[in-house]
Each structure stands twice: as structure tokens, then as C-alpha cells.
């Protein structure tokens, strides 16, 4: 059956986030030939609608209001629920981002619907739309279907390939006027700590440090390598517990789960707790002094050596490649 | 202040996962309070100690969750409620759990509800915001700081590494992120006291809910383990050469840079 599927697009610093294009690709599968409608909520965001169409949306609905400049659950819920009421879709897809995690359960509760969070794949099989999602932080996977009502899912960044951008595609970008009432929680201030780097959950490359990094300063060579590769810096629980870095960088069963193309583990022993957060990365490199370290068991490539020698050498070597390409 | 904590019993983070009969094998596994819910218990105790009131810890699940509820009582919570769902929980989803919790809480006049931002087993992170919506109260997820002044609340929220300072008010639901606090270990006197603290056990009937009211909207059709990775290539030779080889392999073989 064909379905109308809505995709809530997300912006960061005025640009669309990659995960929104991935969500459109997922929505195309859910739609089974039906219409995919992008939804843009914010202030002065309508100009981004064309790009959603180029990535596969058939048309775009825009809700703009000065109260929607920053994401708040109350503001976005009002905007999105108005769109849902008007469009009555059979499917709804968000990115499994901070925003998606915060808003999607509320919308699901409001609509008395199911919600499949953090999907890493979607397919149509045996007459069902089947989502794959990691459980136990990636130590296992489950396949899940919606049995009643709206097919609603959030998709994990970096897992579902976006469709190729087609600049010749055109579609309607129409505004929907919604009166945004009072917000019960107001953002007073945003302290940007992650701004210097790339967002961990969406990064294609993650350079991660463990106890072997030995101090906060010890993260400097890792940051340099991350800069050269356009990646983000992460950490093991050990490094966070030892106060070498902020908990916001922690990767593991508690902490963030990442699936970049390239994960470089520096001075990380590879406890189960850490592996749960990164073992589904596409390519894993381990750098550790201890040849017996558990991390080598999940690594595709390993170097036994002192990270403070290896990482700067790697940085220099990658610089050469970047210059050539 | 009337404070409630939403608590889930989960596998220990260090447990290896195996599957038997199409399900996660629980035989012999260690169970703990979901780590994020532990932050919630700690925060609730601190808020009570600063503002007065009572902390009630709620869990939806089977009788086995009593152990984790006793642990929360030993940490310092005042009361516990176990909503026993036996068969329902087997097939239940987040719709089911949140509906049960909201039904229990709807006439409790909660000022503050605290949960973990995600459970490390199912990993959906849905129940907190769903409960808030069902109770029609505001919520803030992944918080790292909570300050309460009368009914005014200032919350710091972790947003993918950045922090948002949010102003809101009671009644409120928040979900805990790592960094919110350092959960205490239960003391020996605490453990002794916990044995005498009230632990109420309820069933769906007690909440005037029928199985149909909480029937799941989603269904798991398969559970499997990820494919085992083949052993990787540990490089050898002079460090300089190893590094050159690694970069070459990443560039030409793995094609990730």
C-alpha cells in the first residue's frame, strides 16, 4: 500500500542536517510509492525547502514563527501537530537526534501511536514495514514492526544512505500559518561547548581517547588529528571518570553510541561498556601500548605503540593525503 | 515536595548478551538499576533533602524488580511502588509502560517526576516524555543540573555536547543525563531501613486498566546478534612505516579517508 509520509527536517547553524536527508530516504521506503512531505519548523527556514525536495521530498510544508527560532518541545509540538492534523499522514520519520529523541515520544503519546526509536535500517518485507534497531547498545539487534496506527520512527544518523541530490527536482514549498501559544519551558541561554568540533553522533570520523591519554592536555594530539580529518573527538568512560574530558564526549553503553565510517581508539583498553558504543563503526583502528588489549579484537587495523608517538605521525601522514586529494 | 522516580531494572552494563529461543537469555545475568535511573534516584533524594517532601520510586515490570526498588529505598527513597505486569510486560512496548505509569500518577499530584533519559537495554528513551505528555506537564530531557526555587525551576540540558539553560516551573518531568550527580552507594543502615520501608505492589486491575487499554502498538519480530567481526590486521615493523601503511590502507583498502 502506498502511504503519505512526513519527515521532520532539522537545521543546525542555518543549514539542513544530513540526518534529514537520511530520514527522507527512510520515508521513501515507508511510503512504498506514496508521497513524502518534508516539514520545516523554525524562523526564516523556508529557503531550505528546495533542498529537501532535491533530496527526495515531493513537497514541503513550512511553519515559521519567531517563537520557533530555537527548538522547544512546546513550540515544535504545536507546529508539527498542526501540520499532522492538516496532512493526516500514515507515516512519520524524524532523525534520532537530541531534538528527535526529545520530541518524538511526546508526539507519539499525543497521537496514541507506537514509535520505533533509533532505527538503523528500514525495509518492506512480508507486507510489513520492518525497522532494524540496536538494543543493549548494539550488543544485539531487533526487527520491529508497527502493529496499530501510524508508522512512526526515528532514524539513527549515519546509517541510512540519503538519496542522491537531484538539483532538477522541484516541488511545492508552502507555508502553514500556526498560532504558537505560550511555551512552558524557555531557553535562556545556550552554552556552546561542542561548537569547535563536529557533532559526535553525525561525525564520519571519530578519534577517541581512553585512560592512556593520561590528562586533559593529552587530548590535544587527538583534537589535531580530528581537525585534519574533519572528525569529532570522543572518549571512554575511563577518561571521563578521570576528568580528562567532559562526560558529553563519552562513548559507550552509558554515553553516546556512534557509528562513524572511521573510529580511531587511542589508549582505550576496550571494555564491553565501551565496545557497546562503537563496535558498529564501519572501520575501527586501535592504537594501544598493550598488545593484549581487548580493543584489538574488534579493530580492523591495529598499531601496538604509544599513542603520543603514533597519533602525531598519523596526523602528518593524513595531512599529506589531504593535500594530494 | 511530592517527588516520583521512574526506575527500570536492566542488565548489568558489563554483561555479554546471548540469545536462546529467539529471546535475550537472562539466565544467570546480573541485573541492576538502569544507570541513568540511578542518577534520577540520587537527584530526587537531594531535592527532597533540600526542599522537604517525599520520594516515591515506581517500576513497571515483574516481581524481580523488587530488588532494584529495595536498592533505591536503601539509597534513601521513602516509598516504592511496583506495578506488576507479568504477561503484559512480555509483549508491552513504550506505549504500554507510559500509559500504565501515567494512569498511576494522574491523581498523585506529583510536583517533580525524574527518570533516566534512556534505558540501556531497550534504548528507546520514550517513556519519560510520553508520561509528561499524558499528564499534560512540561518536561526537559537529558538534564545535567536542576535548581528549584519555589515553583520556579532552572535546568541545564545537554544537547549533543552543548548546554541549554532552561527556565520552567513545577509540576515538571525531567530525565537524567550522565553528569547530573554522583549516585551514592546504599549504606548499611540504609539497607537495614529499606527492608521496613513501604513497597506497594499493584496490578493493572488496581489502576482500572484492561489489557486492551495498554496493548502494544509495535511488535518485535526478530532478535539477533551482530555478525562476529573477523580478526583485524595488527601492523608490524618500524613505527613510521606502520603509520604510513595504516594511512595507505585506510585510503585505498577501507576507503574511509
Amino acid at each position: 500500500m502506498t502511504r503519505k509520509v512526513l519527515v521532520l527536517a532539522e537545521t543546525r547553524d542555518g543549514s539542513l542536517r544530513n540526518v534529514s536527508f537520511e530520514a527522507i530516504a527512510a520515508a521513501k521506503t515507508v511510503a512504498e510509492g506514496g508521497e513524502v512531505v518534508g516539514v520545516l519548523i523554525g524562523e526564516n527556514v523556508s529557503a531550505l525547502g528546495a533542498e529537501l525536495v532535491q533530496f527526495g521530498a515531493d513537497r514541503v510544508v513550512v511553519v515559521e514563527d519567531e517563537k520557533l527560532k530555537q527548538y522547544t518541545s512546546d513550540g515544535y509540538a504545536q507546529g508539527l501537530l498542526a501540520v499532522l492534523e492538516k496532512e493526516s499522514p500514515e507515516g512519520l520519520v524524524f532523525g534520532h537526534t537530541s531534538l528527535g529523541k526529545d520530541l518524538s515520544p511526546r508526539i507519539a503519546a499525543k497521537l496514541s501511536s507506537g514509535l520505533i526509536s533509533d532505527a538503523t535500517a528500514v525495509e518492506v518485507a512480508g507486507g510489513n514495514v520492518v525497522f532494524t534497531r540496536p538494543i543493549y547498545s548494539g550488543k544485539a539487534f531487533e526487527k520491529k514492526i508497527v502493529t496499530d496506527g501510524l508508522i512512526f520512527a526515528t532514524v539513527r544518523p549515519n546509517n541510512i544512505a540519503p538519496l542522491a541530490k537531484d538539483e532538477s527536482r522541484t516541488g511545492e514549498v508552502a507555508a502553514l500559518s500556526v498560532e504558537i501559544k505560550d511555551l512552558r519551558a524557555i531557553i535562556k541561554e545556550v552554552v556552546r561547548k561542542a561548537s569547535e568540533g563536529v557533532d559526535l553522533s553525525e561525525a564520519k570520523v571519530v578519534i577517541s581517547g581512553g585512560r592512556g591519554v593520561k590528562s586533559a592536555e593529552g587530548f590535544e594530539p587527538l583534537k589535531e588529528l580530528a581537525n585534519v580529518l574533519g572528525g569529532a573527538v570522543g572518549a571512554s568512560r575511563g577518561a571521563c571518570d578521570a576528568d580528562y574530558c567532559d562526560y558529553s564526549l563519552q562513548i559507550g553503553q552509558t554515553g553516546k553510541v556512534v557509528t562513524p565510517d572511521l573510529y580511531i581508539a587511542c589508549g582505550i583498553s576496550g571494555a564491553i561498556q565501551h565496545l557497546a558504543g562503537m563496535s558498529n563503526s564501519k572501520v575501527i583502528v586501535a592504537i594501544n601500548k598493550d598488545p593484549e588489549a581487548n580493543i584489538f579484537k574488534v579493530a580492523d587495523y591495529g598499531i601496538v605503540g604509544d599513542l603520543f608517538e603514533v597519533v602525531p605521525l598519523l596526523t602528518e601522514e593524513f595531512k599529506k593525503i589531504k593535500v594530494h586529494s | 515536595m511530592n517527588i516520583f522516580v521512574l526506575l527500570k531494572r536492566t542488565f548489568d552494563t558489563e554483561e555479554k548478551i546471548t540469545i536462546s529461543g529467539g529471546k535475550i537469555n537472562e539466565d544467570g545475568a546480573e541485573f541492576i538499576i538502569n544507570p541513568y535511573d540511578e542518577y534520577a534516584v540520587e537527584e530526587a533524594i537531594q531535592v527532597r533533602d533540600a526542599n522537604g517532601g517525599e520520594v516515591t520510586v515506581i517500576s513497571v515490570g515483574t516481581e524481580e524488580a523488587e530488588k532494584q526498588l529495595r536498592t533505591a529505598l536503601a539509597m534513601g527513597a521513602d516509598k516504592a511502588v511496583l506495578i506488576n505486569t507479568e504477561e503484559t510486560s512480555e509483549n508491552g512496548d513504550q506505549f504500554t509502560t507510559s500509559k500504565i505509569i501515567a494512569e498511576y500518577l494522574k491523581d498523585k499530584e506529583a510536583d517533580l517526576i525524574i527518570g533516566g533519559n534512556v534505558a540501556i537495554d531497550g534504548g528507546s528513551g520514550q517513556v519519560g516524555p510520553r508520561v509528561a505528555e499524558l499528564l499534560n506537564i512540561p518536561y526537559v530531557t537529558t538534564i545535567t543540573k536542576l535548581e528549584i526555587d519555589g515553583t520556579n525551576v532552572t535546568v541545564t540540558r545537554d544537547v549533543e555536547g552543548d548546554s541549554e539553560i532552561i527556565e520552567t516551573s513545577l509540576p515538571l518531568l525531567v530525565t537524567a543525563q550522565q553528569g547530573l550527580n554522583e549516585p551514592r552507594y546504599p549504606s548499611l543502615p540504609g539497607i537495614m531501613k529499606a527492608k521496613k520501608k513501604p513497597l506497594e505492589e499493584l496490578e493493572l486491575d488496581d489502576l482500572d486498566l484492561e489489557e486492551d487499554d495498554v496493548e502494544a502498538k509495535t511488535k518485535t519480530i526478530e532478535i539477533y546478534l551482530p555478525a562476529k567481526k573477523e580478526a583485524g590486521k595488527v601492523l608490524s615493523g618500524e613505527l613510521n612505516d606502520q603509520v604510513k601503511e595504516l594511512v595507505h590502507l585506510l585510503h585505498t583498502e577501507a576507503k574511509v579517508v
Side-chain angles (χ1 to χ4, degrees), chain A residues 95-116:
Chain A
H96 195 66
T97 56
S98 184
L99 185 161
K101 290 180 217 178
D102 193 70
L103 184 65
S104 60
R106 174 184 187 159
I107 300 296
K110 182 79 186 172
L111 303 174
S112 283
S113 83
L115 168 60
I116 296 176

Side-chain angles (χ1 to χ4, degrees), chain A residues 12 17 71 73 96-98 101-103 105-106 108-110 112-118 130 132-148 184-195 199 201 205 229 237 247-248 250 253-256 261-262 271-273 279-285 296 298-304 309-310 313-314 317-318 320-321, chain B residues 11-17 19 24 26 35-36 39 93-95 98-99 117 120-127 129-134 136-142 157-169 177-179 182 215-226 229-236 239-240 242-244 246-251 253-254 256-257:
Chain A
R12 190 175 167 96
R17 289 182 69 165
Y71 167 76
S73 167
H96 195 66
T97 56
S98 184
K101 290 180 217 178
D102 193 70
L103 184 65
R106 174 184 187 159
K110 182 79 186 172
S112 283
S113 83
L115 168 60
I116 296 176
S117 301
D118 201 17
V130 181
T132 302
R133 61 185 300 274
I135 49 176
Y136 297 86
S137 311
K139 291 181 198 169
F141 285 87
E142 65 175 353
K143 292 199 174 193
K144 220 168 174 180
I145 58 171
V146 172
T147 49
D148 179 22
R184 296 174 297 182
I186 295 159
I187 301 174
K188 281 289 158 193
E189 193 187 339
V190 179
V191 184
R192 301 225 25 185
K193 289 191 277 188
S195 54
D199 175 43
S201 61
V205 177
L229 294 175
R237 182 176 186 163
Y247 276 111
S248 61
Q250 185 183 325
Q253 183 142 19
T254 45
K256 296 195 166 62
D261 291 343
L262 174 61
I272 288 183
Q273 136 84 235
S279 59
N280 293 313
S281 303
K282 287 174 197 91
V283 174
I284 298 169
V285 172
F296 286 114
V298 299
D300 298 279
Y301 305 105
I303 291 184
V304 178
E309 285 181 57
V310 178
L313 286 171
L314 265 179
E317 208 56 37
F318 278 123
K320 288 183 199 163
I321 283 202
Chain B
F11 262 61
D12 194 333
T13 51
E14 295 294 322
E15 286 287 338
K16 276 215 161 102
I17 301 294
I19 290 174
I24 300 289
E26 299 193 347
Y36 293 101
Y39 299 118
D93 65 359
Q94 299 80 17
F95 170 82
S98 51
K99 184 122 192 214
N117 85 76
I120 60 168
D121 49 6
S124 79
Q126 292 182 26
V127 171
R130 273 185 184 263
V131 168
E133 174 63 26
L134 293 173
N136 195 23
I137 59 172
Y139 65 90
V140 184
T141 55
T142 59
R157 171 169 188 254
D158 167 47
V159 185
E160 291 168 1
D162 292 336
S163 291
E164 283 176 2
I165 318 287
I166 292 173
E167 286 185 358
T168 182
S169 60
Q177 173 67 303
Q178 192 160 35
E182 281 285 331
E215 192 181 338
K217 304 282 184 183
T218 58
K219 185 176 159 192
T220 298
I221 55 171
E222 190 188 343
I223 292 180
Y224 62 97
L225 298 178
K229 251 190 142 160
E230 283 180 35
K233 192 185 280 182
V234 175
L235 307 179
S236 58
L239 202 53
N240 263 316
Q242 285 189 42
V243 167
K244 284 201 171 77
L246 175 62
V247 171
H248 180 73
L249 286 167
L250 291 174
H251 191 52
E253 189 179 271
V256 284
V257 279

Side-chain angles (χ1 to χ4, degrees), chain A residues 251-269:
Chain A
I251 292 165
Q253 183 142 19
T254 45
K256 296 195 166 62
V257 177
V258 297
T259 44
D261 291 343
L262 174 61
Y263 189 90
I264 304 184
C266 309
I268 292 178
S269 61

Side-chain angles (χ1 to χ4, degrees), chain B residues 1 61 74 119 132:
Chain B
M1 193 177 296

Side-chain angles (χ1 to χ4, degrees), chain A residues 1-21:
Chain A
M1 77 177 258
T2 60
R3 297 180 186 87
K4 185 200 273 191
V5 183
L6 262 55
V7 173
L8 179 66
E10 221 181 296
T11 61
R12 190 175 167 96
D13 297 334
S15 306
L16 286 162
R17 289 182 69 165
N18 220 17
V19 68
S20 301
F21 308 137

